Amino acid sequence: VLVGLGGDALGVVVPWNEKQFQYTLKDLNRPAAGRISINGETIELSNAFAVLDRGRGVWPYKMTWNWGTGNGTVHGVKLGLQIGGKWTDGTGSTENGLFVDGRLHYWPDELTWEYDLSDETANWRVHGPQVDATLTPFYRRRAVTELGLLGTRIHQGFGTWSGWATDNDQNRYSLDGLVGWAEEARNRW
């Protein structure tokens, strides 16, 4: 698979205290082309997008986060939805924004996440002043690892987004048909 350049990326430092922080970079809408083979089946990628997430920091022992993204082209406009929460709450930093044709429109507001982890068919809704988006999952993933003091629990929904988002000039964009995911992760490390 070949992955090209996507445009702007969202980089943010999340300070929890003087000794614990995280720098994260979300790089969305990177065009991808090629083939993927799984269990003998080959899938040709066309009109596909890749997402790169990288970061470094010193984390607290326990942390919960939400992360979601959606990428695609809607009405001829290349869009990337980047949303997060819980781990940034109260820090003055967010990882929220909308990429429009490769240009980032950053949202400083914390967002509200609504979902039901006990219902495999439930949608994920995320909303705030500049976005109201719903992910309808076509696949759900749950992974749990418990190793005494260390552990992780992750719930992910992969699917299609619907709703709307605005850029920093208050232009409204439809998110209908963006493909991506939403997740809740709880970690002890």
Side-chain angles (χ1 to χ4, degrees), residues 55-128:
R56 294 288 183 267
V58 179
W59 286 74
Y61 168 65
K62 288 182 182 179
M63 183 56 65
T64 299
W65 68 73
N66 288 124
W67 179 30
T69 186
N71 295 272
T73 302
V74 180
H75 304 301
V77 180
K78 186 171 76 168
L79 297 174
L81 176 67
Q82 167 56 47
I83 48 181
K86 288 193 175 127
W87 74 286
T88 59
D89 291 356
T91 66
S93 298
T94 74
E95 59 175 351
N96 303 321
L98 180 68
F99 293 81
V100 179
D101 287 329
R103 182 170 170 248
L104 170 63
H105 296 266
Y106 176 72
W107 303 329
D109 298 300
E110 293 177 7
L111 303 176
T112 301
W113 286 70
E114 298 173 5
Y115 52 91
D116 181 355
L117 298 179
S118 67
D119 182 353
E120 291 291 317
T121 64
N123 291 342
W124 297 63
R125 181 174 177 228
V126 182
H127 56 94

Side-chain angles (χ1 to χ4, degrees), residues 143-165:
V144 177
T145 302
E146 294 292 339
L147 302 170
L149 296 175
L150 306 175
T152 184
R153 291 179 176 269
I154 188 162
H155 294 264
Q156 297 171 308
F158 297 88
T160 305
W161 289 95
S162 61
W164 58 267

Side-chain angles (χ1 to χ4, degrees), residues 34-62:
R35 290 182 209 94
I36 297 174
S37 295
I38 302 171
N39 294 330
E41 181 181 344
T42 299
I43 301 166
E44 292 283 336
L45 297 180
S46 63
N47 298 318
F49 295 97
V51 174
L52 177 62
D53 174 26
R54 55 187 170 230
R56 294 288 183 267
V58 179
W59 286 74
Y61 168 65
K62 288 182 182 179

